[in-house]
């Protein structure tokens, strides 16, 4: 899998913000995608997730996050 590189993939005119610590590559979301869940997947989730979506995001630091969005309430 190709990895992001700040020097190549961040706007060159703003790269100095990364090297000086003004911008944290771990907080620069480069790409995110949301996917609708199938009925079988939703059935495995707690009540209140009838319209939930899976979200994956990848950041400039190559950190990846995964989440389920669209709950009608917050889980404790």
């Amino acid at each position: 899998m190709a990895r992001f590189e700040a020097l190549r993939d961040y706007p060159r005119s703003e790269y100095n913000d990364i090297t000086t610590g003004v911008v944290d590559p771990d907080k620069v979301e480069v790409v995110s995608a949301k996917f609708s869940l199938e009925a079988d997947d939703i059935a495995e989730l707690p009540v209140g997730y009838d319209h939930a979506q899976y979200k994956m995001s990848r950041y400039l630091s190559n950190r990846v996050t995964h989440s389920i969005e669209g709950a009608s309430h917050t889980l404790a």
Side-chain angles (χ1 to χ4, degrees):
M1 174 189 301
R3 299 178 53 82
F4 293 121
E5 294 178 28
L7 182 59
R8 182 191 70 212
D9 298 316
Y10 196 73
R12 189 69 56 104
S13 63
E14 299 174 29
Y15 180 71
N16 193 48
D17 289 346
I18 291 176
T19 61
T20 59
V22 173
V23 172
D24 181 356
D26 208 36
K27 296 185 177 164
V28 177
E29 186 179 59
V30 177
V31 64
S32 69
K34 290 184 180 181
F35 300 91
S36 297
L37 300 175
E38 294 181 1
D40 290 346
D41 298 321
I42 291 175
E44 297 293 323
L45 296 171
V47 173
Y49 281 83
D50 299 335
H51 303 288
Q53 293 182 319
Y54 165 75
K55 179 182 178 187
M56 187 205 86
S57 297
R58 189 163 168 205
Y59 294 79
L60 188 58
S61 66
N62 292 295
R63 175 174 71 97
V64 177
T65 61
H66 308 270
S67 60
I68 301 292
E69 297 183 343
S72 60
H73 63 281
T74 303
L75 294 176

